[in-house]
């Protein structure tokens, strides 16, 4: 990191504590189930790694790569699967792990698409949610933090593919949000 920048919105300590809580909750909710934890890349990679290690039951791991935003911050409104799962989810309990639910389009598309493969259940866990920006009524079962309508980077989230490796979440004040 060339220098510390941006206003921290969630610190590393707050993140650690909240993820521990989410892990405990998911561990209790999925006891005795056939959990497959599906990370939505790239954004969820940091959250996924920490959340997975906070879940204390046997489970499968898998990933799906989607694009929903172009290289800037503007949404195209379209979601595309760039790389699909490698595991069969039929009859299993899928928990999608997202970095952030913004318009809700990505989650809506993924839940609809993966439900066709007949999992036993499908739920969504997101680190962040911007409720004010919702365009569609997306399913969200576990939320780490609700945040205001600001563009954030770090801890997996990018601005033009950079800043994902910031160890905390920061607000980029210079970025205009699309309407
Ligand atoms: P949605 O489909 O509009 O809900 O948003 C999906 C994707 O937009 C997320 O998975 C992020 O990759 C990206 N996104 C939305 N808000 C932010 C932000 O504040 N910072 C970085 N990426 C964001
Ligand atoms: Mg992104």
């Amino acid at each position: 990191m060339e220098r510390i920048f941006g206003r921290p919105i969630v610190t590393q300590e707050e993140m650690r504590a909240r993820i521990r809580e989410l892990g405990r909750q998911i561990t209790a909710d999925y006891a005795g189930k056939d959990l497959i934890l599906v990370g939505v890349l790239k954004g969820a990679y940091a959250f996924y790694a920490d959340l997975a290690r906070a879940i204390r039951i046997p489970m499968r791991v898998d990933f799906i790569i989607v694009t929903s935003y172009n290289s800037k911050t503007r949404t195209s409104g379209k979601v595309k699967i760039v790389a699909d799962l490698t595991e069969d989810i039929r009859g299993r309990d899928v928990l999608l792990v997202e970095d952030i639910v913004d318009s809700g389009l990505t989650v809506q598309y993924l839940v609809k698409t993966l439900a066709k493969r007949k999992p036993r259940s499908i739920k969504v866990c997101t680190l962040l949610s911007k409720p004010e920006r919702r365009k569609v009524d997306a399913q969200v079962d576990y939320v780490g933090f609700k945040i205001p309508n600001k563009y954030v980077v770090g801890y997996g989230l990018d601005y033009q593919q950079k800043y994902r490796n910031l160890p905390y979440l920061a607000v980029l004040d210079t970025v205009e949000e699309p309407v």
Side-chain angles (χ1 to χ4, degrees), residues 98-160:
E98 264 281 18
D99 54 353
I100 186 164
V101 180
D102 186 32
S103 69
L105 286 164
T106 306
V107 160
Q108 188 191 50
Y109 172 83
L110 282 174
V111 169
K112 206 177 90 193
T113 304
L114 297 182
K116 289 183 189 147
R117 301 181 194 177
K118 304 268 186 281
R120 183 163 57 198
S121 68
I122 180 158
K123 285 191 176 184
V124 177
C125 176
T126 185
L127 176 64
L128 306 169
S129 173
K130 288 183 194 169
E132 284 169 55
R133 302 226 340 135
R134 212 70 93 240
K135 286 195 187 125
V136 294
D137 186 23
Q139 176 192 343
V140 186
D141 302 282
Y142 304 91
V143 178
F145 301 92
K146 284 187 182 156
I147 61 165
N149 191 0
K150 300 271 184 210
Y151 199 84
V152 293
V153 295
Y155 202 70
L157 291 101
D158 72 303
Y159 173 61
Q160 297 187 4

Side-chain angles (χ1 to χ4, degrees), residues 14-170:
E14 287 167 335
M15 195 84 81
R16 245 195 300 277
R18 184 67 186 118
I19 293 171
R20 216 177 298 132
E21 278 174 15
L22 286 172
R24 265 198 292 269
Q25 205 183 334
I26 291 164
T27 299
D29 293 352
Y30 283 87
K33 297 198 171 153
D34 191 1
L35 174 60
I36 176 161
L37 198 66
V38 172
V40 184
L41 299 179
K42 300 178 212 175
Y45 83 90
F47 176 46
Y48 185 100
D50 288 344
L51 181 68
R53 287 174 293 178
I55 298 173
R56 302 297 164 86
I57 48 169
M59 61 169 198
R60 285 166 227 268
V61 303
D62 207 353
F63 302 92
I64 193 163
I65 308 182
V66 299
T67 51
S68 59
Y69 270 45
N70 65 18
S71 57
K72 296 268 173 65
T73 57
R74 219 157 282 275
T75 181
S76 61
K78 286 204 196 96
V79 185
K80 200 174 92 187
I81 295 178
V82 178
D84 209 335
L85 302 175
T86 60
E87 301 287 327
D88 190 0
I89 59 169
R90 193 182 191 89
R92 299 197 168 130
D93 298 291
V94 173
L95 182 57
L96 277 173
V97 179
E98 264 281 18
D99 54 353
I100 186 164
V101 180
D102 186 32
S103 69
L105 286 164
T106 306
V107 160
Q108 188 191 50
Y109 172 83
L110 282 174
V111 169
K112 206 177 90 193
T113 304
L114 297 182
K116 289 183 189 147
R117 301 181 194 177
K118 304 268 186 281
R120 183 163 57 198
S121 68
I122 180 158
K123 285 191 176 184
V124 177
C125 176
T126 185
L127 176 64
L128 306 169
S129 173
K130 288 183 194 169
E132 284 169 55
R133 302 226 340 135
R134 212 70 93 240
K135 286 195 187 125
V136 294
D137 186 23
Q139 176 192 343
V140 186
D141 302 282
Y142 304 91
V143 178
F145 301 92
K146 284 187 182 156
I147 61 165
N149 191 0
K150 300 271 184 210
Y151 199 84
V152 293
V153 295
Y155 202 70
L157 291 101
D158 72 303
Y159 173 61
Q160 297 187 4
Q161 295 304 329
K162 289 186 183 154
Y163 311 113
R164 293 192 195 273
N165 58 322
L166 260 186
Y168 54 89
L169 269 173

